């Protein structure tokens, strides 16, 4: 799981800065109304329209994390997404959901994959989840928790690998992320991280192979 409160505040992204610069150039010139209707959500402080309970991965169940455990954003327009970070809960699925709903926890991932392959989404991919223990990696990644323990090889079931691979394949396709170990990483590989997950029992060769296979089929 992620570290507590590693991502306070919000700095304007590249898109917001560019729009601000453009506004200075335009000055008082009137903008065409239909253009404004398309671009209003790109202005600093605005957000894309949201649908309550919507998920980014078909088949996922929505359970909202506490808003204290993530930061509202408009990715990939304000922050590009170029990483998937693999986590292990070090506990049960139910315990992970509980702590991600706790505003005092200060951390949560976008998704949790259960041992039976069930996928729960708790934060929209648009938003910055506090999961990696590194602000830059939080802003540029999607975090996926997996139910289990790093020292228990039986935690990582066939159903879990298959479901997680389909999820990661869709994320990679959506944001044009290369399917390789440079862009699909463990929490332990995040600079400055003090976690060891997913641990030595996580089969990276198998996982990357499954992600690539899932990417060649429609999910």
């Amino acid at each position: 799981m992620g570290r507590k409160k590693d991502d306070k505040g919000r700095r304007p992204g590249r898109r917001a800065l560019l729009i601000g610069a453009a506004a200075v150039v335009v000055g008082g010139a009137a903008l065409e109304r239909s253009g404004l209707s398309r671009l209003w959500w790109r202005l600093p402080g605005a957000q894309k329209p949201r649908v309550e309970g919507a998920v980014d991965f078909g088949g996922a169940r929505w359970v909202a994390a506490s808003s204290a455990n993530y930061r509202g954003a408009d990715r990939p327009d304000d922050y590009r997404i170029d990483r998937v970070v693999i986590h292990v809960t070090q506990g049960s699925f139910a315990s992970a959901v509980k702590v991600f709903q706790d505003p005092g926890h200060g951390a949560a991932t976008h998704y949790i994959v259960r041992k039976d392959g069930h996928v729960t989404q708790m934060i929209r991919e648009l938003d910055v989840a506090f999961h990696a223990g590194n602000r830059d990696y939080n802003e540029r990644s999607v975090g996926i928790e997996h139910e289990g323990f790093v020292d228990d090889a039986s935690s990582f079931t066939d159903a879990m690998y298959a479901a997680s691979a389909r999820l990661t394949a869709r994320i990679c396709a959506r944001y044009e992320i290369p399917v390789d170990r440079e862009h699909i990483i463990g929490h332990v590989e995040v600079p400055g991280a003090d976690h060891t997950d997913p641990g030595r029992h996580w089969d990276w060769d198998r996982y990357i192979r499954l992600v690539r296979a899932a990417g060649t089929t429609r999910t």
Side-chain angles (χ1 to χ4, degrees):
M1 295 186 184
R3 296 174 64 188
K4 296 184 66 175
K5 298 293 184 186
D6 64 301
D7 200 327
K8 296 178 181 178
R10 178 177 182 177
R11 69 171 185 244
R14 184 174 65 87
R15 179 62 59 89
L17 292 174
L18 289 174
I19 292 169
V24 172
V25 173
V26 172
L31 294 176
E32 193 266 331
R33 181 171 297 177
S34 64
L36 279 174
S37 68
R38 291 192 301 271
L39 295 174
W40 69 268
W41 53 263
R42 295 184 179 179
L43 297 173
Q47 287 190 339
K48 293 185 182 74
R50 309 297 175 96
V51 177
E52 186 175 356
V55 295
D56 297 302
F57 178 69
R61 176 190 176 217
W62 175 257
V63 178
S66 168
S67 60
N69 297 330
Y70 69 91
R71 172 158 51 89
D74 290 315
R75 303 189 310 167
D77 287 298
D78 48 4
Y79 305 105
R80 80 180 188 275
I81 298 175
D82 63 4
R83 294 286 188 280
V84 175
V85 180
I86 302 299
H87 301 259
V88 173
T89 61
Q90 288 297 92
S92 68
F93 169 82
S95 67
V97 171
K98 183 177 180 179
V99 297
F100 290 171
Q101 291 180 316
D102 177 2
H105 183 62
T109 55
H110 296 90
Y111 295 96
I112 308 174
V113 182
R114 209 164 58 193
K115 288 183 180 181
D116 62 1
H118 172 84
V119 177
T120 291
Q121 182 168 7
M122 300 194 69
I123 299 171
R124 291 292 307 275
E125 291 175 16
L126 290 165
D127 296 325
V128 176
F130 304 159
H131 67 98
N134 177 307
R135 179 170 181 152
D136 179 56
Y137 275 69
N138 283 347
E139 290 172 346
R140 67 196 294 182
S141 68
V142 174
I144 306 175
E145 286 278 5
H146 297 80
E147 179 183 21
F149 297 87
V150 295
D151 294 327
D152 182 2
S154 68
S155 296
F156 310 130
T157 64
D158 292 344
M160 174 184 285
Y161 273 119
S164 180
R166 289 192 296 270
L167 171 58
T168 294
R170 293 307 306 144
I171 295 168
C172 289
R174 187 159 32 250
Y175 304 111
E176 299 182 343
I177 302 171
V179 179
D180 58 35
R181 286 286 287 113
E182 180 181 351
H183 297 86
I184 303 172
I185 65 173
H187 193 179
V188 67
E189 297 171 276
V190 174
D194 61 358
H195 289 244
T196 62
D197 52 321
R200 61 189 176 90
H201 295 298
W202 182 262
D203 190 337
W204 279 110
D205 290 340
R206 176 186 184 187
Y207 188 66
I208 296 298
R209 187 167 61 249
L210 287 170
V211 175
R212 287 174 177 160
T216 64
T217 60
R218 192 173 184 84
T219 58

